[in-house]
Amino acid sequence: MKNLNNLKAIHFLAFFWVMAIPLNAQSTYALIVGIAQYKEMPALQYADRDAIAFAEFVKGQGVPDQNISLFLNEDATRMNIVDELYRLSRNLKPQDRFYFYFGGHGDLEAKIGYENAMLLLHGSFKTGYFQGKEFLQLSELKTWLTALSKTQTQVIFIADACHSGGLIGGSEGQTKTQRALQESWANVTKILSSQANEFSLEGQQWGGGRGLFSFHLVNGLTGRADVNKNKLVSVKELDEYLRYHVRREASPNVQTPLVVGEPTLALSKSSASGLAQLAVAEKRNFPVISAVNFKGGNPVEKMLAKLDTGIVELYKRFSKAVKERRLADHDNAQDNALLHFRAMAGRSIPDTLLNIMKRNLGAALMERELQIMRNPREKGQNPPAFPNQLEPAIQNLETTANLFGPDHYFYNLLQARKMVLQSMSSRPKIDNMNTSVDNALDELKANQRRKIALLKQSLALEPNMVSTYLILAMTYQSSNRDSSAYYLEKVVELLPNHVEAFTSIGFTYHNFEYKDAEGLVAPHPRAIYYLKKVIELDSTSTIAHDLLATNYKAIGKDKKYRDLAQAIYYQKKLLGFVEKPLDTLIKLQLNQTINKGNFLKNSIAKAEFAQQIRHYVYLAYMYQKLGDTTEASHYQRKLQTYCQGIGSYQVFMNVAGNIYRIFDDFEEDFSFLNGVQDYYLLAQKSLEKEMVNAAPADLPYIKVMYYEILKALGTHYRNIQDYDQAEMYLLQALSYPIDDFKAENRMKLTGSASYLRENRMLTLIALMARVGGANNFHYRMDPNEEMFLLNLEQNKMEAAMQWLEKALQVSVNEKGNDTSGTPYRNIVLETYKNLDVNAFNALYEKYFPKTDEKK
């Protein structure tokens, strides 16, 4: 017997109990049996968990531990149970209450000349129950329990005794066992999981792994069945509650519980706290339909044995198609489960078999949507952006809805989930070449309205769905930050203590502009709060540490809020997550050979060191700003040692990029950039060495990197207004031979960032590591563009326009730069006031005419 004092908290119970005042019975006792694992009989999955759940319910009604006897699996022997019945019979007094709960197999012995229904215990023999004594005959239970009831003890007998028809007694045993259970037993109240010719269901969808009947039995007794709100659950109320919920969720299968007793008899007291906890648990969980188990085994084989071979063959094809997830026409038009189901539905087969097939097919069809939305629902993570997965998932939900029909309880939920996927798949109707800017903006707004309408319709059908709140928050992010924050708060309310949910909301608030009482731009307090909550839950969260460091650097904020000591604290934490000794990095580098046609992979491997280098650069700078020259020198030496030790062009480019980031983050003056060219030159030398022994397959990649470094040197010299050097390197880049390397591959490898400073547009070339700042946008730069800007800044207007035309020609011919992009075009117009606007616009109109002007 299991003593309840020793029971550990069961994580799968979807409810929590507080002590409640017992009913008017003088004392309450319970004998609870749950057998999932039998010695010889077919196993059940959740009968023991159901018994534990019922024991917790009884305890929550204020019954002391010593009055509750719990026998699970191998402890469920005849000796234990009968001894406990005798002990309890001596202790029970008039007006006491006694629960007898059994969860396990029920059957009758078919090999003897008379019928005797029984409850089978752990050690029952599968070849003949009377070979041993491990059973409880219903006739003897009836004798014991009716005798107790005659002493004015309130007896409540609960049987979740299942039988699939596959035991010794066959289908007749199943039917007659249920009928024996349904017989009236004097004043004994009986609560049964199902009726004759029905099967009891269990599955993951109920409480994470419970029996359908047991799950709703406990919920109903907790107070869900208290319709008249008198704080008591009566026999009549529980009967109606179980019939409605069990039959509804068993559909399309049939399971009808039965409650027999005095209709007005109170079975339990409603628990306000228990109901509140149930409500919270349901808000945090989402309903699913899963393929279910039939307690006692699957009855399908018995049914198939009575059907002709053609139908059996169809069923096998159906089952194989479900297993292999060939579910509908878009999976395989000639051989899919839906096709075979429809063929069988037109034949003469038992409704029970057809309903089993329908449920299993529906559960399989819903899996695509569950896979897409599992992490958003369970963890608050942003949904994956895989458009090719959305349409099949939408079709599967439509198919499931048609399969189950509008009267099925899950129909509205299917519609709600389909709307969410439709919102995710909705795209603005924009022709990039022929749509004007104004029309494109209008269509973007219209598409956002369509998405929001679908999501709100979904919430009306399925409230409190985490993933819907999350997607609404994302959709509102660009247009209505208050609404975005509102829905994110809903997400964290439903997912307390989930790192991903707190990270999402912290990141969102971080991106919201916030002003203090003086009107100064400040870090958002809610961002700081949630990001610190993330670290409480996950002390290794790089996102939270990085964003907190950014906030304390006051990047994009008023300098009043700059706290370099706090910024250093979080930056050092970040360094601790990634820092490796130099010899380890060198060993990793040596293991990555570039002489096997694998230069790109090698470059990416070296880029893994980029974070470590970034932290060295920032820490050296911030300590210098604080006047701590000792610590500043420490990180400068580390940086120098690692750069020399690794010697990769990627490392040198990374150092240069981070100096630019600091320049922008902390609004340093132009003198801060002096010396950056040294890192670009080291990168150039590194690549020249790589070229010497490069494999033929690697050479195109190495050459394009070299080309990018020439561009980087040109852009850097233009940034610091050394125009002669800038022109030299840009012209070298333009003449460097990379014709054998496709433009789209160059675009994958390179990127640029623009920094606005003192009516000038500065450019940073970043290789495979985009560099961002507070006032920049990303694009891909062509040397012709830089030559345009170089001449523009020197007021050489005619030459500037010639170079702009060359850049536009490149953009038209190979789409290798973003010169034609609206952000680039607008920022040039806004930044350079000396520009001949008419000549500038005329060139754009020549190469990119507006053919879809707003009317």
Side-chain angles (χ1 to χ4, degrees), residues 588-599 602 698:
L588 285 171
Q589 181 189 3
L590 291 174
N591 288 337
Q592 293 284 340
T593 177
I594 64 169
N595 291 321
K596 295 181 179 178
N598 201 25
F599 174 79
N602 176 45
D698 290 327

Side-chain angles (χ1 to χ4, degrees), residues 423-492:
S423 79
M424 292 168 62
S425 66
S426 179
R427 297 286 183 271
K429 300 165 186 175
I430 296 174
D431 181 339
N432 289 326
M433 297 301 294
N434 298 316
T435 304
S436 70
V437 173
D438 288 342
N439 282 356
L441 289 173
D442 287 346
E443 175 54 26
L444 286 169
K445 291 175 183 176
N447 186 61
Q448 185 187 51
R449 289 193 295 271
R450 290 192 294 269
K451 291 162 78 81
I452 289 170
L454 284 165
L455 292 165
K456 288 188 173 180
Q457 288 177 55
S458 176
L459 275 180
L461 293 172
E462 188 172 20
N464 297 317
M465 177 56 86
V466 170
S467 50
T468 312
Y469 286 139
L470 182 64
I471 298 168
L472 263 170
M474 293 166 56
T475 307
Y476 271 121
Q477 214 164 61
S478 61
S479 62
N480 189 328
R481 290 184 170 183
D482 288 340
S483 292
S484 180
Y486 169 80
Y487 287 112
L488 278 173
E489 295 281 359
K490 288 283 190 184
V491 171
V492 295

